[in-house]
């Protein structure tokens, strides 16, 4: 196994773990302490670029086809997450997509781990 695939696998697991933590932080803010929204907003900045790095690693690791574009799709979903909060927060119908996109990120991160 080459270094690109190994790095991809590590990042896939790390991204999955970050998604789980992010959902937990949202749950803490929703059902407990609203000040945890700050941690939720801050934490995403740590891992937002991980799917883009995974996409680039697919070229080094020889990962092709759907597996390559899964990481790109994860990155685009992260961008959409930012947009639903930063740009469209006043348009409730679009902002309401935020938790749905979170579910897609969770599912996609599981798929990336399984494919890695």
């Amino acid at each position: 196994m080459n270094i690109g695939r190994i790095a991809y696998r590590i990042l896939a697991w790390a991204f999955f773990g970050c998604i789980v933590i992010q959902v937990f932080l949202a749950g803490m803010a929703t059902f407990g302490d609203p000040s945890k929204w700050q941690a939720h907003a801050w934490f995403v900045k740590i891992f937002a670029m991980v799917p883009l790095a995974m996409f680039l690693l697919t070229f080094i690791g020889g990962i092709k086809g759907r597996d390559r574009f899964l990481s790109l799709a994860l990155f685009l979903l992260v961008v959409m997450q930012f947009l639903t909060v930063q740009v469209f927060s006043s348009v409730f119908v679009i902002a309401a997509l935020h938790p749905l996109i979170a579910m897609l990120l969770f599912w996609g991160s599981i798929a990336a781990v399984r494919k890695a």
Side-chain angles (χ1 to χ4, degrees), residues 15-25 43 106 109:
F15 186 69
F16 170 70
C18 288
I19 293 295
V20 170
I21 292 168
Q22 190 69 339
V23 170
F24 179 71
L25 289 172
F43 185 65
F106 181 76
S109 67

Side-chain angles (χ1 to χ4, degrees), residues 65-82:
R66 288 184 185 161
D67 298 340
R68 174 174 289 167
F69 290 104
L70 174 60
S71 55
L72 183 59
L74 289 172
F75 177 69
L76 294 174
L77 285 170
V78 170
V79 170
M80 289 174 61
Q81 281 293 74
F82 279 110

